[in-house]
């Protein structure tokens, strides 16, 4: 090995000597210990940040799960409300149909009553007209000079005619 550079006139000698002096001063001042302390503090800070990040992540997952449960509950509640509304709509529809049928039945009964009343009124009018007609016929017969026997025959025929018309 060639140690020619270990001469005070060589620049390499002075560079090497400066290097060793700086290293010695650094060891004397305990720079490696300070660097190690700073690195340990930095590592502890990073470890604390990682722990905090994990804790925050777990909290976020719990919060997400809570929100998902709430969302599912809201969806279930909305489905229950829709189902209840459908049931109520069916009930209301059935009630409306029943009410409509009842109204229709009442109106039918009322119409039938009106028709029966109109029929009885018409029958009474026909009877009155027949009575008026019979009275007029009787008056004509009486005023005319018919024989009593002919009048009785005519009256009997009119009575039979009226009887057959009303039965």
């Amino acid at each position: 090995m060639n140690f020619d550079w270990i001469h005070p006139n060589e620049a390499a000698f002075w560079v090497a000597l400066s290097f060793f002096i700086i290293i010695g001063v650094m060891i004397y001042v305990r720079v490696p210990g300070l660097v190690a302390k700073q690195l340990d503090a930095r590592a502890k800070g990073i470890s604390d940040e990682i722990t905090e990040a994990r804790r925050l992540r777990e909290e976020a997952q719990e919060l997400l799960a809570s929100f998902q449960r709430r969302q599912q509950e809201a969806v279930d509640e909305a489905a229950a409300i829709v189902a209840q509304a459908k049931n109520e709509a069916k009930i209301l529809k059935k009630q409306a149909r029943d009410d409509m049928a009842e109204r229709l039945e009442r109106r039918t009964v009322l119409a039938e009553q009106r028709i029966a009343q109109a029929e009885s009124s018409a029958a009474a009018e026909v009877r009155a007209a027949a009575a008026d007609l019979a009275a007029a016929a009787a008056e004509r017969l009486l005023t005319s000079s018919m024989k009593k026997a002919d009048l009785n025959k005519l009256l009997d025929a009119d009575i039979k005619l009226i009887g057959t018309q009303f039965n």
Side-chain angles (χ1 to χ4, degrees):
M1 224 182 207
N2 187 4
F3 291 103
D4 288 340
W5 60 272
I6 305 179
H7 192 274
N9 288 338
E10 293 293 324
F13 170 76
W14 292 108
V15 170
L17 183 63
S18 299
F19 176 74
F20 288 120
I21 290 173
I22 290 174
I23 294 295
V25 168
M26 288 174 76
I27 290 174
Y28 180 74
V29 178
R30 297 182 187 170
V31 170
L34 293 175
V35 169
K37 279 184 185 179
Q38 286 181 347
L39 288 175
D40 288 343
R42 177 84 172 136
K44 186 176 182 328
I46 291 171
S47 174
D48 291 344
E49 286 178 8
I50 289 172
T51 303
E52 181 69 14
R54 283 183 184 150
R55 186 185 63 78
L56 290 174
R57 181 174 180 246
E58 289 172 1
E59 285 180 13
Q61 286 177 340
E62 290 174 6
L63 192 59
L64 176 64
S66 171
F67 283 137
Q68 287 175 340
R69 280 192 304 272
R70 287 183 188 171
Q71 180 186 12
Q72 186 61 41
E73 289 171 0
V75 167
D76 293 343
E77 186 177 344
I81 289 171
V82 167
Q84 183 180 3
K86 285 181 180 179
N87 288 337
E88 288 177 4
K90 286 179 183 178
I91 291 169
L92 290 175
K93 185 178 178 182
K94 185 181 181 296
Q95 287 177 346
R97 283 184 182 167
D98 292 345
D99 290 345
M100 186 66 93
E102 184 180 323
R103 286 184 195 152
L104 184 61
E105 186 176 324
R106 275 188 275 159
R107 287 185 180 178
T108 302
V109 168
L110 188 61
E112 288 173 353
Q113 288 174 351
R114 286 183 183 168
I115 290 170
Q117 188 178 17
E119 285 177 353
S120 67
S121 175
E125 286 178 13
V126 168
R127 284 186 194 128
D132 289 343
L133 183 63
E139 184 180 334
R140 272 186 286 145
L141 287 176
L142 290 176
T143 57
S144 70
S145 58
M146 285 183 104
K147 293 183 186 176
K148 197 173 188 179
D150 290 335
L151 285 174
N152 284 338
K153 287 180 186 178
L154 187 58
L155 185 60
D156 288 339
D158 283 343
I159 290 173
K160 285 181 184 178
L161 179 67
I162 290 173
T164 58
Q165 286 179 353
F166 288 115
N167 291 332

